[in-house]
């Protein structure tokens, strides 16, 4: 990790920071830091040199900086690959050096903080109920992205996704897992339009892709059990929104552009829908594998990521109301709303595991046991999907 600091920050500040070999060739690992003030509060703006991600910290010590950067990486992007790049980089020692001139983007961010104080104060007032320290650290990066990039952080998000997205390779039709004839066109036919602003893509192309998506969804439905086909339309609604809105908004993409997009979809699902929605998406990517659109390794990656996402949502931290990130000790955390799928899984496991039943009764649910509940909930939903 590299960090360049502005001349206004004394060199003595960095005495406790490690100085060691960095990660040559790694993007998302080169940061610049400069001081500024808001309402008399001394703060520090960190900007990642290659991606332009702005982060605000209140203390210059390695643990605090890594904690805040880690929080914002998860906020800005749902790309598992991008998060992996950041998190791998954050685990490396820092090399701290003085900088000469600030980069143009850093200067631009600082100008915004100076010239738009009124707008910033109005933005801060919208979150008046949040602790002052948390409010500054949370609001200022959002404010900077809104002022400096178009459409809030849309352009930054897509630039990062384009660079780091996990793109599936076409499967070899000779592999044994390819068991279904493809009743639709390979979306890679439209690869020439990928990442173009949606307004620049011919309407005829958009129409063709949507028709192809409908054929893909219809064939997928035929692989489901009769009970699943007779449901309330969740499968069709979920996949139509995923393929037609998720990939055809702002920038043109298709289902073969990025595997990370499925996590964007499921991360936005409410608690009561997540397990079922994740199970449907896992089966959909298995279907894409069986038609030869993606490899078995890609289908397995999606499956593993979705299972982990369900576990994380219903993790020990969420079940006990304790969150990582910007909460201070003693602050009131949010409460997880219980829902039927979780309650069912909990009842099943309590009947099987006296130790778990005692832990629930005594209010001593452990992380290991909470993870087991999440896993059972996911398995139950997979059984329902056939």
């Amino acid at each position: 990790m590299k960090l360049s600091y502005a001349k206004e920050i004394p060199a003595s500040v960095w005495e406790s920071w490690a100085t060691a070999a960095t990660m040559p060739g790694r993007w998302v690992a080169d940061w610049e830091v400069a001081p500024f003030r808001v309402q008399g509060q001394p703060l520090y703006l960190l900007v990642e040199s290659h991606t332009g991600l702005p982060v605000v910290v209140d203390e210059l010590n390695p643990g605090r900086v890594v904690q805040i950067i880690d929080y914002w990486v998860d906020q800005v992007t749902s790309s598992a690959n991008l998060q992996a790049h950041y998190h791998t980089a954050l685990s490396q020692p820092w090399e701290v050096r003085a900088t000469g001139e600030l980069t143009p983007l850093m200067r631009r961010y600082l100008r915004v903080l100076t010239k738009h104080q009124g707008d910033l104060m109005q933005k801060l007032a919208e979150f008046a109920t949040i602790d002052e320290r948390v409010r500054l650290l949370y609001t200022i990066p959002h404010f900077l992205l809104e002022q400096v990039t178009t459409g809030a952080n849309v352009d930054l998000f897509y630039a990062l996704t384009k660079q780091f997205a996990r793109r599936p390779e076409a499967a070899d039709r000779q592999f044994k897992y390819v068991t279904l004839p493809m009743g639709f066109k390979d979306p890679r036919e439209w690869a020439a339009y990928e990442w173009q602003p949606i307004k620049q893509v011919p309407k005829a192309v958009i129409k063709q892709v949507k028709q192809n998506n409908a054929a893909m969804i219809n064939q997928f439905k035929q692989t489901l059990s009769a009970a699943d086909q007779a449901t309330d339309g969740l499968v069709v609604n979920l996949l139509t929104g995923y393929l037609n809105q998720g990939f055809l908004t702002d920038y043109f993409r298709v289902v073969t552009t990025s595997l990370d997009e499925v996590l964007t979809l499921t991360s936005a699902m409410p608690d009561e829908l997540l397990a079922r929605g994740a199970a449907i998406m896992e089966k959909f990517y298995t279907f894409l594998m069986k038609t030869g659109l993606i490899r078995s390794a890609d289908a397995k990656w999606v499956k593993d990521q979705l299972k982990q996402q369900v576990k994380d949502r219903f993790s020990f931290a969420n079940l006990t109301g304790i969150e990582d990130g910007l909460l201070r000790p003693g602050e009131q955390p949010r409460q997880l709303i219980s829902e039927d799928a979780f309650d069912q899984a909990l009842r099943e496991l309590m009947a099987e595991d006296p130790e778990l039943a005692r832990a629930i009764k005594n209010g001593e649910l452990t992380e290991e046991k909470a993870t087991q509940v999440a896993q059972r909930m996911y398995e139950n939903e997979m059984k329902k999907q056939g």
Side-chain angles (χ1 to χ4, degrees):
M1 291 285 287
K2 296 181 181 179
L3 188 145
S4 304
Y5 61 91
K7 60 183 179 181
E8 294 86 356
I9 304 175
S12 59
V13 170
W14 312 104
E15 291 177 356
S16 62
W17 290 60
T19 54
T22 58
M23 303 168 60
R26 282 279 191 184
W27 288 38
V28 303
D30 196 351
W31 295 83
E32 180 181 25
V33 58
F36 70 102
R37 284 179 176 270
V38 171
Q39 298 177 321
Q41 170 77 38
L43 298 167
Y44 302 91
L45 175 65
L46 282 89
V47 178
E48 208 291 311
S49 300
H50 300 288
T51 61
L53 177 66
V55 171
V56 174
V57 300
D58 50 357
E59 300 173 29
L60 284 180
N61 68 69
R64 184 61 170 162
V65 169
V66 168
Q67 177 196 32
I68 302 299
I69 291 176
D70 191 62
Y71 171 83
W72 275 106
V73 168
D74 289 337
Q75 293 295 310
V76 169
T77 178
S78 61
S79 165
N81 274 6
L82 176 58
Q83 290 176 7
H85 276 272
Y86 269 111
H87 295 161
T88 299
L90 287 172
S91 68
Q92 304 302 308
W94 289 84
E95 175 187 322
V96 180
R97 61 179 185 256
T99 184
E101 283 293 313
L102 295 175
T103 61
L105 183 57
M106 171 66 88
R107 292 200 300 271
R108 188 176 179 190
Y109 281 142
L110 292 174
R111 280 199 303 272
V112 167
L113 290 171
T114 301
K115 296 183 177 181
H116 296 272
Q117 286 279 321
D119 294 334
L120 176 57
M121 293 306 106
Q122 182 177 347
K123 178 68 71 171
L124 288 169
E126 296 175 7
F127 299 93
T129 58
I130 302 177
D131 175 84
E132 178 66 18
R133 180 185 63 90
V134 175
R135 184 161 54 125
L136 292 170
L137 303 186
Y138 179 81
T139 307
I140 294 174
H142 272 304
F143 177 76
L144 290 173
L145 289 171
E146 290 171 355
Q147 294 291 322
V148 173
T149 65
T150 59
N153 61 344
V154 169
D155 289 346
L156 175 64
F157 171 79
Y158 281 105
L160 295 176
T161 305
K162 180 179 180 181
Q163 183 177 343
F164 293 105
R166 183 183 174 102
R167 185 186 181 97
E169 298 178 18
D172 186 331
R173 300 286 306 175
Q174 302 303 312
F175 277 93
K176 61 182 180 181
Y177 56 74
V178 180
T179 58
L180 294 172
M182 189 185 294
F184 49 89
K185 295 181 180 179
D186 188 328
R188 294 179 179 86
E189 281 196 19
W190 296 283
Y193 297 98
E194 283 182 314
W195 298 110
Q196 289 187 21
I198 201 71
K199 294 180 180 179
Q200 297 178 16
V201 179
K203 292 183 179 179
V205 171
I206 302 295
K207 182 178 180 180
Q208 291 169 11
V209 172
K210 288 185 175 181
Q211 290 174 342
N212 197 55
N213 289 341
M216 188 187 304
I217 294 170
N218 186 60
Q219 185 178 356
F220 171 62
K221 281 178 54 183
Q222 307 311 311
T223 67
L224 300 176
S225 66
D228 287 331
Q229 292 184 43
T231 58
D232 58 359
L234 175 62
V235 172
V236 174
N237 291 337
L238 184 64
L239 290 175
T240 299
Y242 179 59
L243 298 173
N244 289 353
Q245 278 80 54
F247 290 105
L248 300 178
T249 301
D250 296 310
Y251 290 82
F252 179 90
R253 294 169 301 149
V254 289
V255 72
T256 52
T257 300
S258 168
L259 294 176
D260 298 292
E261 191 67 24
V262 67
L263 302 178
T264 302
L265 172 74
T266 50
S267 66
M269 291 179 177
D271 293 339
E272 61 270 19
L273 180 59
L274 177 61
R276 187 180 180 195
I280 290 172
M281 296 311 296
E282 180 185 329
K283 290 182 72 70
F284 178 65
Y285 275 87
T286 300
F287 161 76
L288 297 182
M289 175 191 74
K290 289 181 177 181
T291 60
L293 194 61
I294 64 174
R295 301 170 304 161
S296 61
D298 291 323
K300 182 180 184 302
W301 184 88
V302 169
K303 175 182 178 180
D304 292 343
Q305 293 295 320
L306 289 172
K307 291 177 74 172
Q308 187 61 48
Q309 191 176 65
V310 173
K311 286 184 180 180
D312 290 344
R313 177 78 69 88
F314 299 98
S315 66
F316 175 74
N318 278 335
L319 293 173
T320 57
I322 302 170
E323 291 182 336
D324 295 327
L326 302 179
L327 276 180
R328 303 171 77 182
E331 288 181 329
Q332 183 62 38
R334 76 176 179 86
Q335 297 297 318
L336 178 70
I337 299 174
S338 181
E339 39 87 14
D340 292 342
F342 174 76
D343 288 340
Q344 177 187 346
L346 186 60
R347 285 195 301 270
E348 291 176 4
L349 285 173
M350 287 176 65
E352 301 170 8
D353 187 343
E355 181 183 340
L356 173 62
R358 284 194 299 272
I360 296 296
K361 182 179 180 180
N362 298 330
E364 300 172 348
L365 186 64
T366 65
E367 183 169 5
E368 179 185 1
K369 295 299 182 183
T371 300
Q372 290 178 11
V373 177
Q375 180 64 34
R376 174 61 64 89
M377 182 175 64
Y378 185 82
E379 292 171 354
N380 287 347
E381 290 300 328
M382 285 300 295
K383 291 177 182 176
K384 292 178 183 178
Q385 296 299 321

